[in-house]
Amino acid sequence: MSELEAGGLPQLTSHNFINRELSTIDFQKRVLALAEDESTPLLERVKFIAIVGNNLDEFFMVRVGAYFQKLQVNNPTMRPDGMAPLQLLQKIRSEVTALIARQRRLRREIFDLLEREGIHFINTDQLNQSERDAISYYFRAEVFPLLTPLAVDHARPFPFISNLSLNLGVYLERENGDMNNGIDFARVKVPHGSLPRIVRLENVLQTYTGNAHDGYRFLWMEDIIADYLEELFPGMTIREAFPFRIIRNADIDYEHEWEEDLLDVKSIIEQGVRERRFGSVVRLGVPEVISQRMLNRLTSSLELPTTQEVFRIDGKLGSADLFELLQVERPDLKDPPYTPRLPKPFAQSDDFFGVIRKQDVIVHLPYDSFAPVEDFFKRAARDPQVLAIKTTLYRVGKNSPVVNALLEARDNEKQVTVLVELKARFDEENNLEWVTALAEKGVHVIYGVEELSVKTHAKISLVVRRERDGLRRYVHLGTGNYNASTARLYADIGLFTSNPAVADDASRLFNRLTGYAPNTRYQRLLVAPEYLRDNLLGLIDNEIAVARDGGDARLIFKMNQLEEDRVIQKLYQASQAGVKIDLIVRGLCCLRPGMRGLSENITVKSIVGRYLEHSRIYYFRNAPPEQRLYMGSADLMRRNLLNRVEVVFPILDPRIQWRVLRILQTDLRDTKNSWLLRSDRSYQRLGGAGDQAAFDSHAAFMKDSFGVCETPE
């Protein structure tokens, strides 16, 4: 039995609380396992390698960067896992080093398999003369004009190295034999974005020889540049050249900026984005074969305090660029295409708002189409009976149909109010662009609520329409962003409703967001930071009371991440009381299941597969019917429950409740994409790689949006 805090809650210690950063690394291991699975199509395996590379980059920019900051200011704060910043950074390095080594071994194996499929990565010395001539033309016409070699000497300091940039460090010697100056150093930045990192030789040949060429042969951009360095440094002899790549701390402390009385929110975000580019270096990636002379020059010039930040990589630096390889047109090496279905209520009637007026409608992405969400905004923009549209935008992507509909609504003289969360990490610049476009059209644009530190993460939209019997409000609530691109990849759920109580809560919430209403109360919605956590804890308490009375108590929670202390303590307490608890947690999980006397009644499953599980669903068996099943934007993390505006909404229609329970049951049945968390922090894969008998929830949802279970839970 664990020690108890005041109120009877189990005390959190290093014995029963998993460190969130190490749990995040565990998630990357599960993603990499999909690349190891030989039943996964070959180019999809490449995709998962790229995802791990991209995720690790962001992990270092945000999470590791934050711990380096703690070290610099001697901040000893620790979470219940008991790990001090230095100890944790050492553990992170050990585990990430092993993960990268595993990723690189796998990458070589997959590249060998790609060779057998006619997809080749070649070196410049493998080119014949006509191919070399074409690459030479390509370099001079498209690459050379973008290169800016920067010399480093007594008059020219070591240049600023931008975050995530790939560079060549070059040592040179003068051809005239004048050794008075010794060896010179220069840096060449590899162009990013304007040119591909992975260059298809056949495209170059077609452009510069005029002949069509079949096949897939690729060269790395840095190899092409290295092969032509002499053209950048005439009169110099290239002694050695090695690539290097850095990651900077990119975690912007907006709360600190607010305390400095910078009251223009938009200016604060713009300043923060600029400052992100100059964050301290938290990781230097170099090839294993780099010379000690070059490594010493880089570490001293970048002012790296220890070698802890240096990662020697076997092979090419950076795996995120492998996403470019997915452009290869080989359908046989990819997942079979899937076309999302249109939900029946919308397919059977063209009266969009009439459908919602008649019944609540649920949309399960990406199995159902995102089109109804877009239509919600488009029809509202064009419907002469619609008077007002209000919405929250977090990550909408580029060329957003939703934003375009809002702009059209203003052209049609609708009242439009949009809360754009400028602080959505790594989407700040894109959101700033939309803010400008919306404001220029006369949209009421709101940046946040009262205190800048509180992000608005809620996914909610409200349409006010004049009808025969008066004004009626239509609401869309979701678990994911209003983003058409991610809607094809992320498993999310959205609800359309005209329920008066929910609509009234939506109006109250938007008044809270746009005005001054700190004492706002809600009938149906659970809103953070004021009410969400306490209401969830109360519903868990109800299950505890039922269990202690000998009843059949059950909780099923599905989320992306689980970390908040009080929720974990309450779940432990519920397990001790006999509540059966199933947690479906895709990513990090700080709770340890299966511990004797503490969490025997808790199972934790992670589903990682073709689609990114992104839904948040909370089921309480013994709650009143109108409180039994909730969905929303919030994970059970401190940031979501205590430092964000979040909305968790009830499923009131019994038909929709049954369908959501089918989704949960289908997830619980999954063995193809599932791992079980054990009490020692390890994850056990259920089906195993290539298990033909494993049950695939994603495949089941592609056949039926709500899965295969036919009876209510």
Side-chain angles (χ1 to χ4, degrees):
M1 181 73 74
S2 61
E3 295 185 20
L4 299 182
E5 290 187 345
L9 291 175
Q11 182 178 353
L12 297 181
T13 68
S14 59
H15 182 58
N16 61 28
F17 191 90
I18 299 172
N19 177 270
R20 67 167 288 178
E21 319 309 342
L22 301 183
S23 186
T24 298
I25 296 172
D26 291 338
F27 172 60
Q28 309 311 324
K29 296 175 184 177
R30 299 195 294 280
V31 176
L32 191 60
L34 298 179
E36 293 171 327
D37 189 339
E38 295 180 0
S39 67
T40 303
L42 199 52
L43 287 175
E44 303 295 338
R45 297 173 70 182
V46 173
K47 177 188 70 178
F48 288 118
I49 289 177
I51 289 173
V52 171
N54 187 72
N55 288 351
L56 285 178
D57 285 347
E58 184 169 331
F59 177 68
F60 272 84
M61 282 189 287
V62 178
R63 301 304 306 172
V64 175
Y67 279 95
F68 272 109
Q69 284 183 320
K70 289 183 177 182
L71 277 182
Q72 292 169 359
V73 299
N74 195 27
N75 183 349
T77 56
M78 293 186 296
R79 298 287 290 123
D81 56 80
M83 299 190 75
L86 180 58
Q87 176 192 10
L88 178 58
L89 286 171
Q90 292 170 340
K91 182 66 173 173
I92 288 172
R93 177 177 177 81
S94 173
E95 297 214 8
V96 170
T97 298
L99 177 61
I100 292 176
R102 174 181 159 193
Q103 181 202 45
R104 291 302 165 136
R105 288 193 299 271
L106 178 61
R107 180 167 153 165
R108 288 195 299 273
E109 294 171 9
I110 291 177
F111 276 25
D112 287 343
L113 294 173
L114 289 172
E115 288 274 341
R116 300 178 194 175
E117 295 289 344
I119 300 171
H120 309 278
F121 280 84
I122 61 176
N123 300 317
T124 54
D125 58 9
Q126 296 175 263
L127 301 174
N128 61 36
Q129 189 57 52
S130 63
E131 293 167 345
R132 178 168 288 279
D133 289 343
I135 288 294
S136 179
Y137 289 132
Y138 170 73
F139 174 80
R140 293 185 176 92
E142 300 188 41
V143 183
F144 181 84
L146 296 177
L147 300 179
T148 305
L150 298 175
V152 179
D153 53 32
H154 66 281
R156 291 170 287 191
F158 193 86
F160 174 77
I161 309 297
S162 56
N163 187 32
L164 299 180
S165 65
L166 182 63
N167 308 268
L168 291 174
V170 187
Y171 273 118
L172 312 103
E173 188 174 1
R174 299 179 187 277
E175 290 180 352
N176 60 17
D178 182 4
M179 295 300 295
N180 292 329
N181 293 321
I183 300 294
D184 294 300
F185 177 86
R187 171 263 197 164
V188 178
K189 181 177 180 179
V190 177
H192 180 264
S194 54
L195 293 174
R197 167 92 185 277
I198 301 173
V199 180
R200 185 181 174 190
L201 177 60
E202 284 72 25
N203 291 344
V204 174
L205 292 172
Q206 183 166 351
T207 300
Y208 291 97
T209 67
N211 300 319
H213 292 267
D214 295 326
Y216 291 100
R217 289 178 294 168
F218 296 96
L219 297 97
W220 296 93
M221 176 61 74
E222 61 267 32
D223 289 348
I224 295 174
I225 295 173
D227 209 43
Y228 288 92
L229 281 175
E230 290 85 354
E231 298 198 20
L232 294 174
F233 303 100
M236 306 290 284
T237 299
I238 310 300
R239 290 303 180 192
E240 60 183 65
F242 293 98
F244 66 95
R245 183 174 183 266
I246 71 164
I247 295 178
R248 294 185 178 275
N249 178 14
D251 192 30
I252 303 173
D253 186 359
Y254 291 116
E255 186 172 1
H256 172 72
E257 298 291 353
W258 179 259
E259 291 170 355
E260 293 183 354
D261 294 326
L262 297 176
L263 298 180
D264 183 348
V265 177
K266 187 166 177 283
S267 297
I268 296 172
I269 305 302
E270 291 170 339
Q271 177 180 318
V273 171
R274 288 192 296 268
E275 290 179 353
R276 173 181 285 156
R277 302 186 180 106
F278 300 95
S280 58
V281 177
V282 296
R283 175 175 161 182
L284 168 64
V286 297
E288 282 187 342
V289 296
I290 193 171
S291 70
Q292 192 61 47
R293 173 173 64 176
M294 181 68 74
L295 182 59
N296 291 343
R297 181 59 181 263
L298 294 175
T299 55
S300 62
S301 298
L302 292 169
E303 299 180 343
L304 295 182
T306 70
T307 57
Q308 289 290 316
E309 292 85 9
V310 179
F311 282 73
R312 290 177 175 264
I313 305 298
D314 177 15
K316 300 299 181 183
L317 304 181
S319 295
D321 291 324
L322 288 175
F323 281 118
E324 295 179 14
L325 206 57
L326 299 182
Q327 297 176 7
V328 169
E329 295 179 1
R330 287 288 302 273
D332 57 313
L333 301 181
K334 299 179 182 180
D335 285 325
Y338 171 74
T339 302
R341 62 180 63 86
L342 189 64
K344 285 184 180 178
F346 294 125
Q348 295 172 347
S349 174
D350 192 51
D351 184 2
F352 190 87
F353 292 110
V355 168
I356 304 171
R357 185 167 57 251
K358 181 179 178 182
Q359 62 183 331
D360 289 357
V361 181
I362 188 175
V363 176
H364 189 193
L365 306 170
Y367 313 104
D368 291 330
S369 172
F370 188 66
V373 180
E374 296 178 349
D375 281 349
F376 184 69
F377 291 94
K378 290 178 182 177
R379 290 176 182 255
R382 298 166 186 172
D383 187 338
Q385 302 306 313
V386 169
L387 306 178
I389 306 171
K390 301 181 181 183
T391 188
T392 58
L393 299 181
Y394 195 76
R395 303 184 194 276
V396 294
K398 297 183 180 297
N399 301 317
S400 168
V402 170
V403 174
N404 289 331
L406 296 172
L407 295 172
E408 183 179 358
R410 277 303 302 142
D411 288 336
N412 294 330
E413 302 298 325
K414 314 292 184 186
Q415 180 193 124
V416 182
T417 302
V418 179
L419 192 145
V420 180
E421 183 46 76
L422 294 179
K423 301 181 295 300
R425 184 180 286 127
F426 304 126
D427 269 88
E428 296 99 337
E429 291 180 278
N430 188 50
N431 288 352
L432 284 166
E433 180 180 333
W434 286 127
V435 160
T436 302
L438 290 166
E440 288 178 351
K441 281 283 188 177
V443 173
H444 299 301
V445 179
I446 311 299
Y447 301 137
V449 185
E450 294 183 356
E451 297 179 3
L452 185 62
S453 59
V454 177
K455 290 184 179 180
T456 299
H457 191 246
K459 324 299 183 188
I460 182 169
S461 298
L462 173 70
V463 168
V464 182
R465 190 171 187 268
R466 179 186 289 113
E467 299 183 356
R468 291 180 181 178
D469 55 352
L471 295 183
R472 186 181 295 271
R473 289 165 294 184
Y474 297 86
V475 183
H476 176 269
L477 299 133
T479 67
N481 298 306
Y482 292 114
N483 188 312
S485 297
T486 58
R488 293 191 293 269
L489 304 172
Y490 289 18
D492 272 307
I493 303 176
L495 176 72
F496 294 96
T497 183
S498 62
N499 180 280
V502 173
D504 194 57
D505 278 357
S507 291
R508 292 176 184 275
L509 175 61
F510 278 107
N511 291 343
R512 173 77 173 94
L513 296 176
T514 62
Y516 295 105
N519 293 328
T520 300
R521 297 289 187 269
Y522 308 94
Q523 303 175 69
R524 297 297 190 191
L525 300 183
L526 305 183
V527 178
E530 296 96 337
Y531 307 114
L532 177 55
R533 188 179 70 166
D534 287 347
N535 275 277
L536 292 177
L537 294 178
L539 289 165
I540 298 174
D541 276 332
N542 182 64
E543 296 299 317
I544 292 173
V546 170
R548 287 174 175 168
D549 287 341
D552 185 12
R554 180 84 183 275
L555 299 171
I556 307 175
F557 292 174
K558 179 178 181 178
M559 71 206 82
N560 298 325
Q561 304 175 108
L562 171 59
E563 171 258 5
E564 204 276 327
D565 296 7
R566 189 54 59 88
V567 171
I568 291 175
Q569 289 176 300
K570 186 62 70 173
L571 290 172
Y572 282 152
Q573 187 183 48
S575 173
Q576 290 173 327
V579 180
K580 186 178 186 301
I581 304 171
D582 288 298
L583 303 177
I584 306 168
V585 187
R586 185 201 75 218
L588 72 91
C589 178
C590 296
L591 177 149
R592 286 187 189 269
M595 297 184 68
R596 185 176 181 181
L598 182 69
S599 56
E600 295 111 318
N601 292 312
I602 303 176
T603 62
V604 178
K605 166 186 276 197
S606 172
I607 299 176
V608 185
R610 174 171 177 173
Y611 299 115
L612 182 76
E613 295 291 334
H614 197 250
S615 305
R616 291 87 164 188
I617 309 174
Y618 303 105
Y619 169 70
F620 308 86
R621 171 178 282 173
N622 294 287
E626 68 275 9
Q627 295 179 290
R628 190 166 295 155
L629 194 58
Y630 285 90
M631 301 190 302
S633 58
D635 288 312
L636 299 183
M637 300 187 70
R638 285 179 297 164
R639 71 185 187 192
N640 298 95
L641 299 177
L642 305 176
N643 199 36
R644 283 185 173 181
V645 176
E646 302 275 12
V647 170
V648 169
F649 52 94
I651 302 301
L652 302 174
D653 186 328
R655 297 176 307 104
I656 305 298
Q657 285 190 2
W658 177 54
R659 290 169 183 170
V660 175
L661 284 172
R662 284 178 57 188
I663 292 172
L664 288 177
Q665 290 177 351
T666 304
D667 286 337
L668 291 174
R669 283 188 55 184
D670 182 275
T671 53
K672 170 69 174 177
N673 312 294
S674 293
W675 281 257
L676 282 183
L677 174 60
R678 297 185 288 200
S679 59
D680 63 357
R681 203 198 107 197
S682 66
Y683 279 81
Q684 174 189 358
R685 190 166 188 181
L686 292 184
D691 185 348
Q692 298 300 314
F695 178 75
D696 186 345
S697 60
H698 291 173
F701 289 132
M702 283 189 278
K703 293 178 181 178
D704 186 309
S705 300
F706 308 111
V708 299
C709 301
E710 296 299 334
T711 58
E713 194 273 349

